[in-house]
Amino acid sequence: MSRRSLAGIVALSLAAASVTAIGTGPAAATRADCNAVGTNWTAQAQPHAAPESLLNAYSDTGKGWTGADSTYSVALSGGRTAWIFSDTFLGPVNPDGSRPRTTPFLNNSFVIQQGQTLKTVTGGTASNPTALVPPPANGWYWFGAAQTSDAGRKLDVVALRFEKTGTGQWDWRWAANYLARFDSRTYKLLSLTPLPSTANVQWSGWLQRDGGFTYIYGVEDLGASKYQHVARVRGDDLTKPWEYWTGSGWSADETASVRTLEGVANEHSVTRWSDGYLLVTHDTKELFSRRVVGYFGCSPTGPFVKPVELYQTPETGGNHITYNSHDHPDLRSGSQLLVSYNVNSLVSDELYDDVSIYRPRFVGVTLQAAR
């Protein structure tokens, strides 16, 4: 793995030792006017949920995608699922489960699932693959949350542009938010459009349609502290005018956006649950945490309260870190959540020595009312 990618993993995982919910005026008080918040929930987790084994077996073939992070999913027409990945290794894979040092490494890719069949989608050619969104001069794009638009004909992915600021390992920074729009059948990149980027918020954490709006969840990443922000757009076209949650209403001014929760990961989810909402995130209240937690709210803007531990990632420890857990609501099994998280190593050589490390893990989580 490249030095800049390893630096990115560390930056995404840094956290403060103690954080609390951030107030947003009177509405920030803990409310119990919906069952989602009024209920005391307990969680039971089942690791290695589908499609973990399918992706692992595909990776082992070395015929395309062999590992990545981010792990968003979007349901497409015809029973397809688009798996949206950022930093990506491609094949081949050696017989002993290692990667050649010359294996291609891209900053973004898709894996398309239809039934039990998977295929890798990149830019470039088979002999010279490139990222789906080619890197700009002096930088690269990482993928975030995604959705379909235009009655399913388009696949829209929030793309974060990062840029190098020097020659050192840590000399890079987030620069701006973009919308990468693809044809949902051919996966051809149709456009790359700037999105709001003036409030130091990476608007890529999650997209959630609700009540005629698409809610956009972003993260103000200060390294040791990460704060959630909420915006929305009417309909499903993110290129239309945005408005931002101020704590008591909505404003067209991005800088009026308020912090709604501290301690979220750069990638998390906010989905409908019971008669309210469930926020799933890796716990960034502690450094290199193994905790996946859920918060509950009565509205898409929160407040998100009553955190419940959903799972502890067993891979965390030594050189290995876990991060960016979130739900996949389109792939839930009844009321059971499907939560993914990413695994990486702080020692890049390990990712070449063992192809199995840098793959997403999936956990089925059942929430039940406490007795």
Side-chain angles (χ1 to χ4, degrees):
M1 173 171 286
S2 67
R3 288 164 62 92
R4 74 182 180 203
S5 181
L6 181 58
I9 297 304
V10 173
L12 292 175
S13 302
L14 289 175
S18 177
V19 292
T20 57
I22 297 300
T24 56
T30 300
R31 302 190 337 241
D33 54 358
C34 65
N35 288 333
V37 169
T39 302
N40 293 320
W41 299 98
T42 62
Q44 293 182 334
Q46 296 179 330
H48 310 302
E52 184 175 310
S53 62
L54 181 66
L55 285 165
N56 288 348
Y58 180 61
S59 171
D60 288 341
T61 68
K63 295 180 179 179
W65 175 99
T66 63
D69 64 2
S70 285
T71 320
Y72 288 100
S73 62
V74 178
L76 302 178
S77 63
R80 295 169 296 148
T81 296
W83 293 98
I84 314 295
F85 293 108
S86 291
D87 282 349
T88 302
F89 282 110
L90 301 180
V93 173
N94 295 321
D96 65 356
S98 63
R99 290 184 171 95
R101 298 293 168 150
T102 56
T103 189
F105 179 78
L106 313 176
N107 291 124
N108 49 76
S109 70
F110 297 157
V111 171
I112 306 301
Q113 178 182 357
Q114 188 158 29
Q116 298 298 297
T117 301
L118 301 175
K119 72 173 183 179
T120 302
V121 180
T122 67
T125 64
S127 60
N128 185 28
T130 61
L132 282 164
V133 179
N138 200 46
W140 66 92
Y141 291 98
W142 278 335
F143 281 169
Q147 66 175 13
T148 58
S149 65
D150 189 21
R153 289 183 285 269
K154 305 296 190 301
L155 173 58
D156 292 349
V157 184
V158 180
L160 302 178
R161 180 169 65 85
F162 288 82
E163 61 185 18
K164 291 180 285 187
T165 58
T167 58
Q169 177 181 1
W170 305 99
D171 294 339
W172 56 271
R173 66 184 179 188
W174 168 78
N177 305 305
Y178 285 80
L179 181 68
R181 175 162 286 170
F182 298 86
D183 184 292
S184 66
R185 288 205 168 271
T186 66
Y187 316 114
K188 178 182 177 182
L189 179 63
L190 302 176
S191 60
L192 187 64
T193 305
L195 293 178
S197 303
T198 61
N200 195 34
V201 176
Q202 299 173 24
W203 293 107
S204 61
W206 189 254
L207 302 174
Q208 177 67 20
R209 292 182 185 168
D210 193 274
F213 293 89
T214 298
Y215 288 84
I216 306 115
Y217 295 89
V219 175
E220 179 188 358
D221 185 351
L222 302 181
S225 299
K226 300 176 189 290
Y227 302 91
Q228 184 197 57
H229 289 247
V230 186
R232 70 180 185 181
V233 61
R234 189 175 296 276
D236 63 10
D237 187 353
L238 299 188
T239 66
K240 300 299 183 181
W242 289 27
E243 52 186 7
Y244 307 89
W245 180 243
T246 68
S248 59
W250 297 93
S251 171
D253 179 5
E254 185 183 4
T255 62
S257 172
V258 298
R259 298 167 172 175
T260 52
L261 186 68
E262 188 176 4
V264 296
N266 294 68
E267 300 175 8
H268 60 276
S269 58
V270 178
T271 59
R272 292 304 302 259
W273 178 256
S274 181
D275 58 347
Y277 299 83
L278 168 65
L279 186 159
V280 175
T281 182
H282 226 79
D283 183 8
T284 63
K285 297 194 295 273
E286 57 189 32
L287 183 64
F288 300 145
S289 177
R290 64 175 67 238
R291 299 181 68 240
V292 180
V293 294
Y295 294 82
F296 301 88
C298 294
S299 81
T301 59
F304 296 106
V305 295
K306 300 179 70 172
V308 173
E309 184 178 282
L310 305 180
Y311 187 62
Q312 288 200 10
T313 57
E315 299 86 358
T316 305
N319 296 327
H320 295 173
I321 59 174
T322 56
Y323 54 102
N324 284 345
S325 50
H326 54 76
D327 187 22
H328 296 265
D330 292 336
L331 299 174
R332 289 176 180 172
S333 177
S335 60
Q336 185 184 69
L337 311 176
L338 179 64
V339 175
S340 68
Y341 61 93
N342 298 132
V343 182
N344 213 316
S345 174
L346 299 174
V347 178
S348 60
D349 285 349
E350 292 188 349
L351 302 181
Y352 290 94
D353 295 339
D354 184 355
V355 70
S356 71
I357 296 173
Y358 194 52
R359 294 170 174 169
R361 275 45 165 195
F362 293 85
V363 183
V365 177
T366 301
L367 287 170
Q368 297 177 325
R371 295 182 180 179

